[in-house]
Amino acid sequence: NWLKDRINLWRESGLISDEQSESIINFEVAPEAPIRLGVRFSRLIVVLSTLGAILIGAGIISFVAANWQGIPAIAKLGFLIVGQTATYAVAYQFQFVRGYPRVGGAIMFAGAAWFGANVFLVAQIYHLPTDNPDLLIWWFIGVLPLAYIARSKAITVMAVGIFVVGISWKAASQTDDAVSGLLVTSILLFVGAAIYSVGLAHMQRASAKFFAAPYMVGGALLAIIVTYMFTFAGFVNDYERNSALENFEVSSGYIALAAVVSAITIVSLMVANWKLGRSEKRLSFRLAETSIIVLTIIAGWFMAIHIFESAAPYVILFNLLLVIQIFGIIGLGVINKREAFVNIGIVFFVIDLST
């Protein structure tokens, strides 16, 4: 390894003797077997800690569920608050005080999941409708800050997933059943672009770069999957044959939702490109990245407000967009050394060629 090569160079140059070089190597070089054992043991701790946290939480939930109907509403609410607070307190102690970050992180993740269950349980306690997508939005709002406090990529991925499902559910509630699938799929284009843009904004601060990958990989993957779906004429023709595309009207609620998600994208891009003129060495590549995001948003609006009367223009539009996305993500992955981007681009390049 590097250390041994340097020590041999010092010995050959006469800086140290053979005995000294051997003593340094014996002192500095740790045996490989204990290192491998330590890595395996560390992974085992993560697995066991996660399983333990899940089992403990499941046990508590099962006990309470068995007696749930007989518990007064105020007592139920108090139990949920105390239990949630205790979970986070234990996780904090393990992760930041006791020096067991993996154990604490596992408990924190379980607490974030439990928070979502608590949101729905509170709605149930006070006889509010539990089939409301706003509950997922509240779950997202409660979990996202926790990801940054705990510096957890796992909780960040959870928050992004909750956001995607929540916005999709919200879009479905704002659309007619005849075109619900089409418009929900369209909103995912906006969501993918927004998530990626938020990740791009994280890249501008050293302290926030840690969280950028879940946003950027998740957003890119979502946007390219939805674009690929719209390249099939049959996906849009199903609605055209039912005369849905000719007659449906997009609700103001759906338009407002799409506008809010688009605004998140625009603001994030502004933050990401704030210092572009002064500090960005590869200006053209960053502008190309931004252009692809903007094209994705435009394509989403074309579908959302039904610009064309037939399916053919949409198929052509999204095929061109898919090609741009594939080569763009591969190029950006190579330039910025993002292996996940290259892999995503190659996979969809092969899929597109084969279909």
Side-chain angles (χ1 to χ4, degrees):
N1 57 29
W2 177 85
L3 179 60
K4 289 183 179 179
D5 292 339
R6 296 296 297 176
I7 293 173
N8 289 332
L9 179 61
W10 298 340
R11 179 177 52 79
E12 292 171 359
S13 301
L15 298 176
I16 58 176
S17 64
D18 293 343
E19 293 78 9
Q20 289 173 323
S21 66
E22 185 176 352
S23 297
I24 294 173
I25 291 174
N26 291 336
F27 181 80
E28 293 289 346
V29 179
E32 294 184 1
I35 293 177
R36 289 197 298 267
L37 180 62
V39 172
R40 292 175 183 173
F41 185 69
S42 178
R43 291 174 180 172
L44 179 62
I45 289 176
V46 176
V47 173
L48 293 178
S49 300
T50 304
L51 291 176
I54 293 173
L55 289 175
I56 292 173
I60 295 173
I61 292 172
S62 297
F63 173 78
V64 175
N67 304 278
W68 189 252
Q69 297 300 327
I71 301 176
I74 189 65
K76 292 177 182 178
L77 183 61
F79 172 79
L80 296 179
I81 294 174
V82 171
Q84 188 73 61
T85 305
T87 302
Y88 286 154
V90 171
Y92 179 85
Q93 283 291 321
F94 274 108
Q95 185 168 358
F96 298 106
V97 179
R98 304 291 181 181
Y100 297 97
R102 297 180 184 277
V103 177
I107 298 174
M108 195 78 75
F109 183 86
W114 190 16
F115 177 80
N118 287 344
V119 170
F120 284 87
L121 284 173
V122 169
Q124 184 186 56
I125 290 171
Y126 291 97
H127 307 289
L128 300 174
T130 55
D131 57 346
N132 188 344
D134 292 341
L135 297 179
L136 280 178
I137 304 302
W138 284 113
W139 185 5
F140 166 75
I141 293 172
V143 165
L144 186 62
L146 182 65
Y148 293 89
I149 294 172
R151 291 192 64 81
S152 171
K153 284 186 177 181
I155 298 178
T156 304
V157 172
M158 178 193 290
V160 170
I162 295 168
F163 179 76
V164 172
V165 176
I167 294 297
S168 302
W169 190 1
K170 186 71 173 178
S173 68
Q174 300 293 326
T175 58
D176 183 82
D177 290 341
V179 290
S180 177
L182 182 68
L183 293 180
V184 169
T185 307
S186 299
I187 204 71
L188 290 177
L189 268 180
F190 298 108
V191 174
I195 293 173
Y196 185 92
S197 301
V198 170
L200 203 59
H202 279 70
M203 294 295 293
Q204 302 310 303
R205 294 182 64 89
S207 59
K209 285 184 179 181
F210 175 81
F211 302 97
Y215 290 101
M216 298 181 72
V217 174
L221 191 58
L222 180 61
I224 202 169
I225 287 174
V226 175
T227 301
Y228 175 73
M229 292 172 63
F230 280 130
T231 61
F232 292 95
F235 188 80
V236 180
N237 277 332
D238 287 341
Y239 300 96
E240 188 179 26
R241 283 193 294 269
N242 294 328
S243 300
L245 284 179
E246 297 176 2
N247 302 319
F248 84 89
E249 293 182 4
V250 182
S251 68
S252 58
Y254 180 89
I255 293 295
L257 183 64
V260 169
V261 179
S262 298
I264 293 173
T265 305
I266 294 171
V267 172
S268 298
L269 288 176
M270 291 175 62
V271 173
N273 295 287
W274 184 259
K275 298 180 180 180
L276 186 62
R278 292 185 293 172
S279 61
E280 184 64 45
K281 296 180 180 179
R282 291 170 286 191
L283 176 62
S284 58
F285 298 115
R286 174 56 65 82
L287 291 178
E289 192 171 24
T290 301
S291 299
I292 295 173
I293 297 171
V294 172
L295 287 174
T296 301
I297 289 292
I298 293 173
W301 277 109
F302 275 21
M303 182 60 75
I305 62 177
H306 184 39
I307 294 293
F308 305 115
E309 296 296 330
S310 65
Y314 291 111
V315 174
I316 296 173
L317 171 66
F318 282 99
N319 269 287
L320 290 174
L321 180 61
L322 181 64
V323 172
I324 294 172
Q325 288 176 341
I326 288 175
F327 285 101
I329 198 171
I330 292 175
L332 291 169
V334 172
I335 293 165
N336 298 314
K337 299 180 180 179
R338 300 171 186 164
E339 184 178 349
F341 280 18
V342 177
N343 293 336
I344 292 172
I346 292 175
V347 167
F348 276 93
F349 178 76
V350 173
I351 292 175
D352 191 38
L353 285 180
S354 61
T355 56

